[in-house]
Amino acid sequence: MALTIFILQLAVRILACPLYLLNFLGLWKGICKKCFFPFFLVRCTATYNKQMASHKRELFSSLQEHASPSGELSLLELGCGTGANFKFYPPGCRVTCVDPNPNFEKFLIKSIAENRHVQFERFVVAAGEDMHPVADGSMDVVVCTLVLCSVENQERILQEVRRVLRPRKMSSDNQWSADEDEGQFSRLIRKSRDSPFVPVGIAGFMTVVSYGLYKLKNRRNQKMSIHLIHMRVAAQGFVVGAVTLGVLYSMYKDYIRPRFFNVSKK
Ligand SMILES: C[S@@+](CC[C@H](N)C(=O)[O-])C[C@H]1O[C@@H](n2cnc3c(N)ncnc32)[C@H](O)[C@@H]1O
């Protein structure tokens, strides 16, 4: 037995010799990533999907239960490869794909064309350890098959998965329940915390309008129409200013801070 294992190991090493050489010369990663792996995967996937079809169908049959209150299902496929799982997703599902290998794109496009029942959103070229182009709490489901065994930092990936998933809370019977269970007031607080410039804009608008109306009586000899125009311009200016600051703040939070200050989005 030991001799058989030794002979088999030796045979594998001899067969893999050219790969070791390419790796030693620093060429393997490029060749493997660009040429070999996507073509290899697309061939393997067809066979693998045939073998696994019933399991995948069962595994993905409950996806729609995780749809948002509006009924839409936003799904992120992490390490999407050639898009092998698309055909198992429910109709209308909005799919965002993440993979660090840009060479999968043409296979993805083919898979999208073959699976018109899903709604393809975008292909993000990124490693799962840093999916900063994907916003916090924007996904109902994250799918990841045959990926975590070959990544550099599983813990970091799971943190990122948690970040992009829509927050849910545990109900008393230990079932995950969607955030529609959240009370109106706490939802308002959470949304205000996420986009603070919206309540600031509304509060500023109300203040300017109230002050304008209060001053209406004491406007001395100013014409009513002029007074109302001034009030409207001031209120509008406040709202536009708050919206602009909100957009700049989101850009900073989503793109600049994670990229340049190495801080995960909150
Ligand atoms: C074996 S393939 C699986 C593809 C697909 N999920 C499937 O089930 O057919 C592994 C995929 O994970 C991707 N991958 C490798 N490292 C990754 C990482 N750090 N983050 C996300 N994806 C990664 C690879 O580019 C490749 O597409």
Side-chain angles (χ1 to χ4, degrees), residues 37 41 77-81 84 99-101 104 127-129 145-147 151:
F37 192 46
L41 194 63
E77 175 143 6
L78 176 56
C80 56
D99 202 291
N101 189 342
F104 278 118
E129 287 89 345
T145 56
L146 306 176
V147 176
V151 300

Side-chain angles (χ1 to χ4, degrees), residues 53-66 73 88-91:
S54 62
H55 296 290
K56 284 198 176 188
R57 221 168 276 126
E58 189 189 341
L59 181 69
F60 295 130
S61 63
S62 59
L63 281 179
Q64 195 58 43
E65 289 168 20
H66 302 279
L73 180 72
F88 301 99
Y89 294 159

Side-chain angles (χ1 to χ4, degrees), residues 213-227:
L213 293 176
Y214 169 73
K215 279 283 189 182
L216 199 62
K217 270 191 185 159
N218 314 323
R219 65 181 192 281
R220 300 204 190 105
N221 50 0
Q222 192 183 42
K223 275 172 82 178
M224 165 97 108
S225 59
I226 301 290
H227 180 83

